[in-house]
Amino acid sequence: MLAPRRVGARNPVNREVIVSEAPSTSAGTVRGEYQSGRGASAKPDTKVDSFRPRRMRQVAPVMPALPQGEVSAKIQRFLAERRPKTPCVIVDVDIVEGNYRALTAAMPQGRAYYAVKANPAREILARLRDLGSCFDVASPGEIELCLSVGIGGDRISYGNTIKKERDIAFARSRGVRLFAADSLSELQKIARAAPGSDVFVRLLWQCGGAEWPLSRKFGCSPKMAADLLVQARDLGLNPRGISFHVGSQQTDLTQYDQAIAEAARVFAIVEAQGITLDLVNVGGGFPARYRTDVAPIIAYGQVVETALARHFPGRAMTLIMEPGRSMVGDAGVIAAEVVLISRKDDDDPVRWVYLDIGKFSGLAETMDEAIKYRLRTPRDGRAVGPVVLAGPTCDSADILYETFNYELPLDLAEGDQILILSTGAYTTTYSSVAFNGFRPLKDYCI
Ligand SMILES: Cc1ncc(COP(=O)(O)O)c(C=O)c1O
């Protein structure tokens, strides 16, 4: 197959040489090719190559076509045709749309508020806007972003329980009327800066079963939640109900049932004091697919709807979902490159594989090896051996996977491309501005 190829070699003035129509063998490795050549027998372009030593060089093999469901055909085409500089993430917005449709079909009585923090790319927000989604935001910056793509304040929920009073006032001035709280102080700020607004109170949740727990920092005890809802009324706010987040990448579906049961107990206490509530916000937690298979979104929908019917019999609840990871995770693929392969001792069977992306350029969720991404290399299918995976920075915290048993092909080589799958969520925004001088993760929404 003839395909354009970016050789990636640099000439003496540090210019990348892009070669088109370079041949590749079925094994993928072309030996004896000039760096700028058009095949093993081609003469080097003397204009470009005049200063370069004419040594033989191994060229990285081309990524073979991957099965559908691994990487979308659109992303594969983009990678093959554009050969983007790595590291970068490519997000297929059609997959985001599919995920939104699947979620809203699974929970038809609910309203989706996309958690903008998962991936705030304008193309994603615009597509979800057109599909009728609402949006969960964490900051004035996310509010401004939503407004700038034509999303009105009436479609925004300010779901962060930690807000400055002036940020609440800003939100209100832009038409936001729905706020989260988990403390009296926060309610008082909302009452002053956004009087009369709708509020929901977030329950503290242990998040058992979640790969990325959101326990401890957010929410309050059920008793305190009940008190806060009454205090909200007394402060002139409109208490609507309860929210929780059972932890991100939650694979224990019973957590939703338990949390909805807890919400119902809070409702009963509050309603005994003459306040009618109507809102249950089940947050996120719906999964992407990393190394292990996960239940389909329809199973989550069944659990939530069954729990609502069981714990709020005969009542029509306003259901809110705040999906982040499940909307965009599987829609994105990171293209990265192997920078260095080394060992800590000549006899050490474990290779250290350093990539051009690490914890500080988008893969923060590898912290404690919590999120375990699937990797694809052009040499998949060959014999593998154990590796430690690390990023490119001069920081020893920048190790991606050391204790979990990752294995990669034994003939993996420096310069090989690595695809990191299901990386559409929580990658671009976690990427630092320029730690060690590495640029932020570039994204392409296609
Ligand atoms: C308030 C809130 N809602 C929703 C989400 C999205 O959660 P997930 O990515 O698990 O869907 C988050 C994630 O941090 C959150 O903080």
Side-chain angles (χ1 to χ4, degrees):
M1 190 185 86
L2 294 180
R5 172 176 303 151
R6 180 187 292 266
V7 172
R10 290 178 181 276
N11 69 15
V13 289
N14 206 26
R15 218 171 40 208
E16 251 184 10
V17 181
I18 300 180
V19 181
S20 59
E21 305 295 20
S24 64
T25 65
S26 56
T29 305
V30 180
R31 286 181 191 278
E33 191 179 72
Y34 283 104
Q35 286 182 345
S36 64
R38 291 169 183 269
S41 60
K43 282 232 158 74
D45 175 346
T46 47
K47 272 194 221 112
V48 176
D49 267 6
S50 50
F51 302 108
R52 189 180 307 151
R54 295 181 183 182
R55 64 190 164 83
M56 307 300 250
R57 177 175 182 272
Q58 183 173 314
V59 174
V62 171
M63 189 70 69
L66 295 161
Q68 266 289 356
E70 283 284 86
V71 175
S72 78
K74 212 160 97 174
I75 293 179
Q76 293 197 46
R77 210 166 40 245
F78 179 89
L79 285 168
E81 288 170 5
R82 289 279 298 270
R83 306 222 155 228
K85 193 171 166 191
T86 69
C88 65
V89 62
I90 305 104
V91 178
D92 184 339
V93 185
D94 292 343
I95 296 180
V96 179
E97 174 168 343
N99 290 338
Y100 176 85
R101 290 186 186 283
L103 176 85
T104 49
M107 295 177 219
Q109 74 174 85
R111 184 132 249 241
Y113 281 68
Y114 171 62
V116 174
K117 58 178 78 73
N119 190 324
R122 301 177 70 82
E123 297 86 342
I124 294 172
L125 299 184
R127 182 71 69 94
L128 291 172
R129 173 203 64 204
D130 293 347
L131 290 166
S133 181
C134 294
F135 298 84
D136 161 63
V137 301
S139 65
E142 287 189 350
I143 294 173
E144 278 174 338
L145 182 61
C146 287
L147 298 174
S148 75
V149 293
I151 296 157
D154 57 337
R155 288 168 73 177
I156 294 174
S157 165
Y158 203 160
N160 193 345
T161 52
I162 307 152
K163 303 179 281 296
K164 292 178 182 167
E165 191 165 327
R166 60 181 175 275
D167 293 343
I168 297 168
F170 167 78
R172 179 56 183 254
S173 74
R174 298 299 188 274
V176 178
R177 293 195 57 90
L178 184 59
F179 296 88
D182 61 6
S183 66
L184 179 57
S185 185
E186 192 74 8
L187 280 179
Q188 288 165 337
K189 283 190 262 176
I190 299 168
R192 285 192 298 269
S197 290
D198 290 358
V199 288
F200 55 86
V201 172
R202 181 163 170 175
L203 281 179
L204 186 70
W205 200 252
Q206 287 308 312
C207 303
E211 287 177 26
W212 192 260
L214 298 166
S215 48
R216 291 177 37 243
K217 183 172 171 186
F218 310 101
C220 60
S221 69
K223 178 182 175 315
M224 187 168 157
D227 290 345
L228 289 175
L229 285 164
V230 175
Q231 285 160 333
R233 189 246 345 243
D234 297 343
L235 286 163
L237 295 166
N238 183 23
R240 292 286 308 275
I242 285 292
S243 78
F244 53 81
H245 197 304
V246 293
S248 201
Q249 191 69 10
Q250 178 56 267
T251 51
D252 174 7
L253 278 72
T254 66
Q255 295 282 320
Y256 291 92
D257 180 75
Q258 293 170 40
I260 289 171
E262 194 71 75
R265 285 191 281 276
V266 175
F267 268 51
I269 298 168
V270 176
E271 293 188 333
Q273 300 185 56
I275 297 169
T276 304
L277 303 172
D278 73 321
L279 176 74
V280 177
N281 178 342
V282 297
F286 317 115
R289 185 167 84 83
Y290 297 117
R291 284 176 69 96
T292 46
D293 281 341
V294 290
I297 193 66
I298 189 82
Y300 286 77
Q302 278 159 4
V303 166
V304 167
E305 302 230 327
T306 305
L308 285 173
R310 182 185 309 142
H311 302 299
F312 294 97
R315 291 184 62 167
M317 283 293 141
T318 301
L319 168 66
I320 283 182
M321 304 84 78
E322 295 174 349
R325 190 181 302 280
S326 65
M327 284 294 101
V328 289
D330 291 339
V333 172
I334 283 176
E337 185 183 315
V338 177
V339 178
L340 172 70
I341 301 177
S342 64
R343 295 172 200 264
K344 297 301 169 194
D345 184 274
D346 288 338
D347 297 330
D348 194 338
V350 178
R351 291 161 298 157
W352 280 67
V353 175
Y354 301 90
L355 306 179
D356 61 358
I357 185 167
K359 273 209 163 58
F360 304 103
S361 39
L363 300 179
E365 288 200 324
T366 58
M367 198 188 299
D368 298 329
E369 308 193 15
I371 298 295
K372 297 179 189 69
Y373 297 109
R374 304 193 315 285
L375 307 178
R376 292 292 173 265
T377 81
R379 302 176 201 264
D380 287 353
R382 311 195 197 178
V384 294
V387 293
V388 172
L389 275 153
T393 62
C394 300
D395 191 317
S396 58
D398 193 9
I399 296 173
L400 305 174
Y401 302 110
E402 189 172 12
T403 58
F404 189 78
N405 184 24
Y406 268 84
E407 297 197 317
L408 286 174
L410 291 168
D411 59 348
L412 188 77
E414 293 167 8
D416 278 2
Q417 188 180 61
I418 297 252
L419 296 184
I420 310 174
L421 308 192
S422 294
T423 40
Y426 304 114
T427 50
T428 52
T429 42
Y430 268 131
S431 168
S432 69
V433 174
F435 186 53
N436 280 216
F438 292 104
R439 67 189 176 121
L441 183 60
K442 167 92 182 130
D443 67 325
Y444 300 91
C445 287
I446 58 174

